[in-house]
Amino acid sequence: MEPTYDLIIAGAGPAGASCARRAAELGLSVLAFEKVPFPRPKPCAAGLTSKALRWFGDELAPVIHDEVSVVRLVVSSGVEVVWDGGGVVVATTSRRELDQLLADRAAEVGARIEFGVRVESVETTETGASMLAGGHTHRARHLVAADGPEGVVRRACGMPRVRLTGAIYIHAFPDETGELERYRGELVFDFTEHRRGYGWVFPKRDHLNVGVYGKGLGGGSLRRSLRSLLESLGLSEWRTEGPFAFPIPCSTGKEHLSHGRVLFAGDAAGLADPITGEGISHAIASGRIAAESIAESLGIDAVTESGGSASGSAAGLDAAGVYRRRIMREVVPEVNGMRPLGNLLYALGPRVIGTVARAPLLREMLVRRRMWQEFESKGGRLRVETPARDRHQ
């Protein structure tokens, strides 16, 4: 039986919705299934990098909570490294709002998205694939899995498990709105505990998103670290919602990217930064690349995100092969970009980092080559500060 669609997508989060939108823009017939009706809450710190902001421009304005130009790294007690990006480097939002907007934009250009429909199983052949969803079988030339690191599609395909790390956060609401102003325009990342991760403070529209990310830590350790962070910030008396916990997938190998005619995108492909846990921009990029790779295999011309052209002369190419090559070339280097610096920070620990940051000579020898070049290559400038411990109190 002939395929009904060029591609079917499992999941309509940032990866799935971006894939659906790009596919529709390229003239592909596309159907996406999302098991939960939108809008829906989704545990996530929800920071959008400057790259994601450039992709969408003013489209995202309705869902932006705060625009951030300063990133503050608390590397040890009394020592902070401050990066002033010279412009907006991150914008905060909520996944409830962001995911709805991305899905709406995909639908506006012709993508069909069905909400409240669960994917039950998938099958692939040499010439196509089928997905059983909502009690009905749907056929396509390709499938895209954007249903998370432990989704139905990954299990159905017998794919290797994606390595997971963990994060936990709360919403902290002040008694007076003015108390939020001191946090506006700034992200805080706190490395002062031995957690092989960090604490964070993200300013939102009416609250702070305060959380902890940790590699290889269980839920109990994360909760204790979160309580400690709230106390150190003087936020223990604020009204809170949560905690909310969520897994972060960090496995950037070719073996996680495809299986026959199934392409895996976003969290389903393990495309989150193993040091920072950031994954939204990579999810969006991988979703768009999946659509372009399928279009290229079908002989459809497309200008790619990297500025090249997926030429119609490529008809008949293996979409999975095109996809793997582009992800390994365009996305994985960005996913792993902070790995050297992060591993250095985690290996040294806060006590050594504090000593290094205070001493100009040691800073030049052990930090400047890595940390300074990593950040200043992105624009802006870095400086070391030794603020009072009660800066936020």
Side-chain angles (χ1 to χ4, degrees):
M1 183 176 295
E2 284 295 313
T4 306
Y5 296 92
D6 291 316
L7 70 157
I8 296 176
I9 305 168
S18 297
C19 181
R21 176 177 179 172
R22 187 63 177 140
E25 290 172 342
L26 294 171
L28 302 181
S29 55
V30 54
L31 170 65
F33 295 108
E34 170 55 53
K35 65 182 179 181
V36 180
F38 279 14
R40 54 89 169 94
K42 178 73 173 179
C44 182
L48 296 170
T49 65
S50 56
K51 182 174 184 178
L53 296 174
R54 287 195 300 272
W55 277 331
F56 296 103
D58 294 338
E59 285 185 23
L60 297 180
V63 303
I64 297 301
H65 289 205
D66 196 16
E67 295 182 329
V68 171
S69 59
V70 174
V71 178
R72 187 176 298 273
L73 308 179
V74 184
V75 295
S76 73
S77 178
V79 178
E80 300 180 358
V81 177
V82 182
W83 178 37
D84 186 340
V88 177
V89 294
V90 175
T92 62
T93 182
S94 76
R95 287 290 300 278
R96 179 185 180 91
E97 297 167 276
L98 175 67
D99 291 6
Q100 180 70 69
L101 183 144
L102 295 180
D104 289 345
R105 295 295 181 268
E108 288 171 3
V109 295
R112 177 182 170 190
I113 303 178
E114 295 191 4
F115 296 95
V117 179
R118 289 182 175 273
V119 173
E120 300 164 49
S121 64
V122 300
E123 293 183 7
T124 63
T125 67
E126 291 184 359
T127 59
S130 63
M131 180 178 291
L132 178 63
H136 300 281
T137 298
H138 307 267
R139 292 176 174 81
R141 291 181 172 83
H142 295 88
L143 303 182
V144 175
D147 57 345
E150 299 179 298
V152 172
V153 180
R154 174 167 289 279
R155 295 197 302 270
C157 292
M159 295 285 284
R161 292 179 63 86
V162 172
R163 185 174 68 254
L164 299 175
T165 58
I168 189 171
Y169 69 90
I170 54 91
H171 296 156
F173 296 85
D175 292 332
E176 299 179 7
T177 305
E179 295 183 63
L180 285 173
E181 293 308 311
R182 71 185 74 177
Y183 295 92
R184 294 295 180 200
E186 176 179 297
L187 298 186
V188 177
F189 295 98
D190 188 310
F191 294 88
T192 57
E193 291 193 29
H194 294 280
R195 58 168 73 91
R196 283 192 61 78
Y198 61 87
W200 76 76
V201 181
F202 281 20
K204 297 300 181 78
R205 186 177 292 123
D206 62 351
H207 67 277
L208 298 178
N209 183 301
V210 184
V212 173
Y213 166 74
K215 301 177 66 176
L217 296 181
S221 296
L222 289 174
R223 286 174 182 269
R224 287 191 293 273
S225 292
L226 179 57
R227 286 195 296 269
S228 176
L229 178 63
L230 289 171
E231 292 174 0
S232 70
L233 294 171
L235 300 176
S236 298
E237 301 304 316
W238 286 31
R239 180 175 65 85
T240 63
E241 291 180 350
F244 309 96
F246 60 101
I248 296 177
C250 302
S251 298
T252 52
K254 290 183 180 179
E255 70 276 10
H256 295 289
L257 296 177
S258 66
H259 176 82
R261 285 180 170 262
V262 182
L263 311 183
F264 292 82
D267 283 358
L271 295 176
D273 188 309
I275 300 301
T276 68
E278 195 277 321
I280 294 178
S281 65
H282 311 311
I284 294 170
S286 63
R288 294 178 67 86
I289 291 172
E292 292 174 356
S293 299
I294 293 170
E296 184 173 352
S297 73
L298 297 175
I300 297 175
D301 292 336
V303 177
T304 68
E305 291 296 339
S306 59
S309 175
S311 171
S313 63
L317 286 181
D318 172 32
V322 174
Y323 179 68
R324 287 194 301 270
R325 288 191 293 273
R326 287 194 58 190
I327 292 295
M328 297 304 294
R329 183 177 69 245
E330 300 173 33
V331 178
V332 169
E334 291 194 8
V335 171
N336 291 328
M338 292 291 291
R339 189 188 292 267
L341 171 60
N343 286 337
L344 176 66
L345 289 174
Y346 296 156
L348 293 178
R351 183 173 299 177
V352 174
I353 293 170
T355 300
V356 169
R358 288 188 181 93
L361 180 60
L362 289 177
R363 186 166 70 237
E364 175 70 29
M365 293 172 58
L366 297 180
V367 180
R368 178 173 291 276
R369 291 183 181 178
R370 290 176 178 264
M371 182 181 289
W372 260 241
Q373 290 180 1
E374 177 70 34
F375 282 99
E376 291 186 343
S377 66
K378 303 177 187 299
R381 61 189 181 88
L382 282 168
R383 63 182 185 273
V384 174
E385 295 183 354
T386 54
R389 291 180 58 86
D390 63 350
R391 181 175 60 88
H392 280 309
Q393 298 178 24

